[in-house]
Amino acid sequence: MVETLPEDAAFDGATCLLVSQFLLDPDARTAFFASIAHRLRPGGTLVWADLAWDTEAPDYPAMLRLWMETMSGAGLDAAALEQIRANYARDVAILPPDRVAALAEAGGFAPPLRFHQAGMIHGWCARKQS
């Protein structure tokens, strides 16, 4: 947990892998990024990854199905697919990648660079704004 770390800007870098997506409220997610930035020295780097996709895009149902099949080794029945869909809709803040980057930027980081994608997992890096 970020709040267990010292308050002063003592770190050169941080990683955050598949965490911020569970903060459903955008303001809480921005505050989470801000708490990381607060603990980084000026110019410190954050590398993070989260599930991200435009859930309103026409290709989202196909991507979600592919993603669930990939995660489970395929062979999911319709009931299992629906349960995963429901869990994602309820418990995971899947946002468009540009929106996730904007939340980190609002939390005190320079415009993030998206450097990785594997299915629905996107990875970014960003430096703390001085």
Side-chain angles (χ1 to χ4, degrees):
M1 295 288 161
V2 175
E3 62 273 1
T4 65
L5 297 172
E7 283 286 324
D8 59 330
F11 299 96
D12 293 318
T15 58
C16 180
L17 304 175
L18 302 174
V19 174
S20 85
Q21 66 198 21
F22 294 109
L23 298 170
L24 302 180
D25 177 63
D27 292 335
R29 202 164 177 178
T30 297
F32 174 73
F33 285 120
S35 70
I36 295 170
H38 180 73
R39 288 163 173 82
L40 291 176
R41 292 184 177 107
T45 301
L46 170 63
V47 174
W48 86 99
D50 280 311
L51 293 175
W53 204 269
D54 182 352
T55 59
E56 300 298 318
D59 64 354
Y60 179 67
M63 172 48 78
L64 183 58
R65 181 177 192 76
L66 176 63
W67 179 246
M68 291 184 288
E69 289 173 359
T70 300
M71 287 179 16
S72 69
L76 293 175
D77 64 21
L81 290 172
E82 187 52 42
Q83 183 62 49
I84 292 172
R85 272 190 203 90
N87 291 345
Y88 274 22
R90 183 185 63 240
D91 300 327
V92 183
I94 299 174
L95 301 174
D98 292 345
R99 179 75 177 116
V100 176
L103 293 173
E105 192 172 351
F109 290 93
L113 170 65
R114 189 166 44 145
F115 68 89
H116 177 74
Q117 180 181 344
M120 288 179 58
I121 297 175
H122 296 257
W124 296 264
C125 63
R127 294 201 180 274
K128 177 182 176 177
Q129 291 187 13
S130 301

